[in-house]
Amino acid sequence: MVAHSYKVTLEIEQLYTNIKDLEIERRNFLLTQNKKLPSQIGFSKVIIKHNIENIKQLTTDNPRQKYLIKKIEELSFEKFKIVDNAVANYKELSRNNIKENLLQGKQIMDRISKLINEMLSTEKKLLVVRDDKNDRLTDSTPTLIYITLFTTMAIISLAFVKINRDLEETRLNNELLALNNESNNLAEQVGEYGTWFLNLETNEYTFSENEYRLLGVEPNSFKASLEEFLKYIHPEDLEYVQQIAAEMVKQDKLIPFTYRVIRADGQLRHLRGNGKTVTNKSGEKVLIGTTSDVTDEVVANKAIEERNRELEANNKELQAFNYVASHDLQEPLRKIQTFISRLIDKEMNSISESGQQYLQKIQDSSERMRLLIDDLLQFSRTNKSEKATELTCLNELLENSKLELTQIIEEKNAVITSETLPKLNVIPFQIQQLFTNLINNSLKYSKENDPPVIDIKVSEIRAADEPEIPMDDLTKFYKIVFSDNGIGFDPQYSKKIFVLFNRLHNKDEYSGTGIGLAICKKIVDNHYGFIFAKGEPNVGATFSIYLPIQE
């Protein structure tokens, strides 16, 4: 502050000196008309303006000084006009005019001098006050230094104690944190989930160790990033996951979503993502997310859905079958049995011996039919859960079916060729019934003059590679195809052919009840497989069976 007062005083004195020099140069010009003096006058004006600006900047915190320099600036500009008038019109000026010009300049100079003296006086008073304050501060400086020194030493001592305590607390917290991290890692492994963090400010990811394990790789085997993670996404889910990733940075909460990944070891797994945006202590927004392995849940849900579809189909089938059994079959059968009973009770003695035998056979046949209906009703009520599967050689079941149909095969001179069928977990008697029904169907609907030719082939496929299968994943199936050279059928009946009691041909032309292929469909459904039929009139029929492979 003292130095500032000296600087202001120096600038004021310099301004006053420059204004006096300007006045001297004006007088000299009027007396001598020296042509070099106008340029010196112009330079002096520039210096004066510069002095005024410097003083303005130095006195911005002093209202009185600001007022005085403003008045000096106004008087200086009046001074410039008088000087400029004298320089421009010196030739026309008479002696009296020169005297008047000099008088005007002197009057303004006296006013400027008065203002300059007031500014110097004001700054001098400030300098006295500031000098006194500076002296007092200088006298108290040693005391302040000692106080500061001792205070600093006390603070350092307290800080040292506090730091030691904080370090001990930090050590304990670090040990606890390490234990918690280890517990979290173990919990993630047991719970089959991982955690990840996305800093929305820097767009940097952080993965937990189990987040890597969910992908079948070692922890920290690659840098945590969305690009690296997307490499494991199932190709058909990639676009969906990319869309979710683009939207999640705009949302405060990530809606749970499920997708598939192909692990490093080739396994197909179902993962579910979830997350929420929080703000950390640094003010950065961070998206905290979890990734859970929900494969078992998805598989269980699919099994439930499949079971529900199975139950729904069974219910519809049972309704149709119960209706037919209750009305179309049982009612006429009861009447037949009633009238037979009456004949036996009342007319038995009036019938010949051979007639009595025929009547007895009719009664026996009607009883067998009643039992057959009851058995069919019982079969419709059974389901797969009541039957145990076992590892069975399908070749043996096929041979049993061929032995069961030996008589009709020989009568029709049929030729049956087959590839080697695999071993599979199945319900043996149901699969044998499936083979028997399909072979019998081909024999029954063979051409009149052509010996039946039945060809059986087998192959291993994936669901995603077969457009017929309503699944789009990597599930494996055995595909068993039965093809023949029979009369075939119109392709429009490909699905209708498996409906219970549905017949495509007149019962007078071909025997049958319309139950055989419906039973085939039920057996395949019991094994969580699929069966499809293709036909072409007068060319033949093909039945494709898909049985899942349990790895």
Side-chain angles (χ1 to χ4, degrees):
M1 293 173 65
V2 172
H4 181 271
S5 293
Y6 279 118
K7 188 173 182 179
V8 173
T9 302
L10 183 62
E11 284 291 339
I12 295 171
E13 291 175 347
Q14 186 66 41
L15 172 63
Y16 185 55
T17 299
N18 291 330
I19 293 174
K20 288 195 294 184
D21 289 344
L22 177 65
E23 177 64 15
I24 291 170
E25 290 166 356
R26 180 182 72 92
R27 291 179 180 179
N28 288 341
F29 179 75
L30 290 175
L31 295 174
T32 64
Q33 285 83 42
N34 188 342
K35 294 182 178 181
K36 294 181 179 181
L37 290 175
S39 61
Q40 293 180 4
I41 290 171
F43 181 73
S44 295
K45 288 165 61 179
V46 172
I47 294 299
I48 291 170
K49 291 178 181 178
H50 181 70
N51 290 142
I52 292 173
E53 290 301 321
N54 285 345
I55 295 172
K56 281 183 177 181
Q57 293 179 5
L58 292 172
T59 58
T60 53
D61 59 341
N62 192 320
R64 182 59 183 171
Q65 296 289 57
K66 285 173 62 177
Y67 169 77
L68 293 173
I69 190 62
K70 182 66 178 175
K71 300 300 291 182
I72 291 173
E73 183 180 25
E74 293 173 358
L75 291 173
S76 297
F77 287 156
E78 289 185 22
K79 183 71 174 177
F80 293 163
K81 290 180 182 179
I82 295 172
V83 172
D84 291 341
N85 182 51
V87 172
N89 303 308
Y90 71 93
K91 292 182 179 180
E92 290 81 12
L93 291 175
S94 63
R95 186 178 183 87
N96 290 333
N97 289 337
I98 291 173
K99 184 176 180 181
E100 184 180 352
N101 188 277
L102 290 173
L103 183 59
Q104 289 177 350
K106 183 178 183 304
Q107 291 174 349
I108 291 175
M109 193 63 193
D110 289 342
R111 293 169 62 188
I112 289 174
S113 178
K114 183 178 179 181
L115 293 172
I116 289 290
N117 289 331
E118 186 175 351
M119 286 190 74
L120 289 173
S121 176
T122 300
E123 204 62 36
K124 186 176 180 180
K125 292 177 181 178
L126 282 174
L127 182 58
V128 171
V129 174
R130 289 173 178 176
D131 274 334
D132 181 60
K133 186 175 181 181
N134 183 57
D135 290 341
R136 290 199 308 272
L137 286 174
T138 302
D139 293 339
S140 62
T141 297
T143 303
L144 290 174
I145 291 174
Y146 284 118
I147 292 173
T148 303
L149 177 61
F150 288 120
T151 303
T152 303
M153 291 178 65
I155 291 174
I156 291 174
S157 299
L158 293 173
F160 181 76
V161 174
K162 183 66 168 62
I163 288 172
N164 278 340
R165 290 178 181 176
D166 290 346
L167 287 175
E168 181 63 20
E169 185 178 349
T170 301
R171 184 184 66 80
L172 294 175
N173 289 337
N174 287 339
E175 291 178 356
L176 182 60
L177 181 60
L179 180 61
N180 289 337
N181 286 338
E182 190 65 27
S183 299
N184 288 337
N185 288 335
L186 183 59
E188 288 185 4
Q189 294 182 53
V190 173
E192 294 186 323
Y193 72 92
T195 54
W196 51 271
F197 307 87
L198 171 59
N199 189 316
L200 297 177
E201 307 293 337
T202 62
N203 202 33
E204 292 180 352
Y205 281 85
T206 303
F207 291 168
S208 68
E209 291 185 357
N210 213 51
E211 186 76 10
Y212 290 92
R213 294 190 184 100
L214 292 177
L215 303 176
V217 298
E218 291 297 321
N220 302 312
S221 57
F222 60 82
K223 182 180 179 181
S225 67
L226 179 62
E227 292 74 19
E228 290 293 331
F229 190 86
L230 290 177
K231 292 179 181 179
Y232 296 89
I233 303 297
H234 191 285
E236 295 177 2
D237 293 346
L238 182 59
E239 184 177 352
Y240 170 65
V241 175
Q242 287 176 327
Q243 182 180 357
I244 294 292
E247 293 176 354
M248 70 182 184
V249 298
K250 305 175 184 177
Q251 302 172 352
D252 291 333
K253 188 174 183 180
L254 181 62
I255 299 175
F257 66 104
T258 304
Y259 55 95
R260 295 168 293 173
V261 298
I262 301 176
R263 289 164 41 114
D265 56 4
Q267 288 189 36
L268 177 70
R269 307 297 290 180
H270 295 263
L271 302 182
R272 178 174 297 153
N274 196 1
K276 183 179 181 180
T277 300
V278 299
T279 303
N280 62 20
K281 292 183 178 180
S282 301
E284 298 175 326
K285 286 191 173 182
V286 178
L287 180 61
I288 301 176
T290 61
T291 304
S292 306
D293 189 331
V294 293
T295 304
D296 293 340
E297 178 184 338
V298 172
V299 172
N301 288 338
K302 286 184 177 180
I304 292 173
E305 291 174 3
E306 183 64 29
R307 187 62 176 165
N308 289 338
R309 286 196 295 267
E310 177 186 346
L311 291 173
E312 185 178 353
N314 286 342
N315 287 335
K316 291 180 180 178
E317 190 175 300
L318 283 171
Q319 289 175 1
F321 188 86
N322 287 336
Y323 179 85
V324 173
S326 300
H327 296 82
D328 295 353
L329 294 179
Q330 290 185 349
E331 181 60 27
L333 182 59
R334 281 194 296 268
K335 289 182 179 179
I336 291 172
Q337 289 180 318
T338 300
F339 286 121
I340 290 174
S341 297
R342 290 179 181 178
L343 282 173
I344 292 175
D345 293 338
K346 297 181 180 181
E347 307 292 335
M348 192 68 171
N349 294 331
S350 62
I351 299 174
S352 65
E353 185 177 348
S354 60
Q356 291 178 6
Q357 292 177 353
Y358 293 149
L359 191 59
Q360 187 63 45
K361 288 183 179 179
I362 292 173
Q363 188 179 33
D364 294 340
S365 296
S366 64
E367 179 63 21
R368 286 196 302 272
M369 186 173 184
R370 185 186 65 78
L371 293 174
L372 176 61
I373 292 173
D374 290 340
D375 290 342
L376 287 174
L377 283 170
Q378 184 64 31
F379 177 78
S380 69
R381 294 188 183 100
T382 61
N383 55 52
K384 198 263 178 189
S385 63
E386 298 171 346
K387 306 297 179 181
T389 62
E390 58 185 78
L391 185 62
T392 308
C393 178
L394 300 188
N395 278 318
E396 294 180 3
L397 300 181
L398 178 61
E399 291 302 318
N400 293 340
S401 295
K402 289 161 68 175
L403 286 173
E404 186 178 344
L405 299 170
T406 298
Q407 183 177 351
I408 188 171
I409 291 173
E410 291 177 353
E411 288 176 357
K412 288 184 174 281
N413 294 320
V415 177
I416 301 176
T417 61
S418 66
E419 296 179 348
T420 302
L421 301 181
K423 289 184 177 181
L424 198 61
N425 282 310
V426 295
I427 304 171
F429 81 90
Q430 288 193 7
I431 296 298
Q432 182 173 324
Q433 182 68 43
L434 170 67
F435 291 165
T436 300
N437 287 3
L438 291 175
I439 295 173
N440 189 47
N441 190 76
S442 295
L443 295 173
K444 183 188 300 184
Y445 297 105
S446 62
K447 295 177 183 175
E448 186 174 352
N449 298 322
D450 292 339
V453 177
I454 303 172
D455 187 27
I456 304 171
K457 295 184 178 181
V458 63
S459 60
E460 184 178 328
I461 59 94
R462 291 183 184 273
D465 300 329
E466 287 290 317
E468 291 182 320
I469 298 179
M471 298 170 62
D472 196 13
D473 56 24
L474 302 179
T475 304
K476 293 181 180 179
F477 289 84
Y478 279 123
K479 179 181 180 182
I480 304 173
V481 180
F482 285 71
S483 58
D484 62 46
N485 63 340
I487 63 173
F489 59 89
D490 194 315
Q492 66 177 318
Y493 300 118
S494 294
K495 294 183 178 179
K496 188 178 179 182
I497 200 171
F498 295 108
V499 178
L500 190 66
F501 298 113
N502 185 71
R503 293 175 53 85
L504 303 184
H505 306 282
N506 192 299
K507 66 179 179 180
D508 295 329
E509 295 177 300
Y510 298 95
S511 62
T513 62
I515 299 176
L517 290 179
I519 292 175
C520 291
K521 178 70 165 60
K522 183 176 180 63
I523 291 172
V524 174
D525 289 345
N526 284 346
H527 289 78
Y528 305 109
F530 305 91
I531 183 170
F532 304 97
K534 292 182 181 179
E536 187 174 351
N538 298 319
V539 175
T542 300
F543 292 86
S544 299
I545 305 163
Y546 297 87
L547 298 176
I549 302 173
Q550 298 177 355
E551 298 180 345

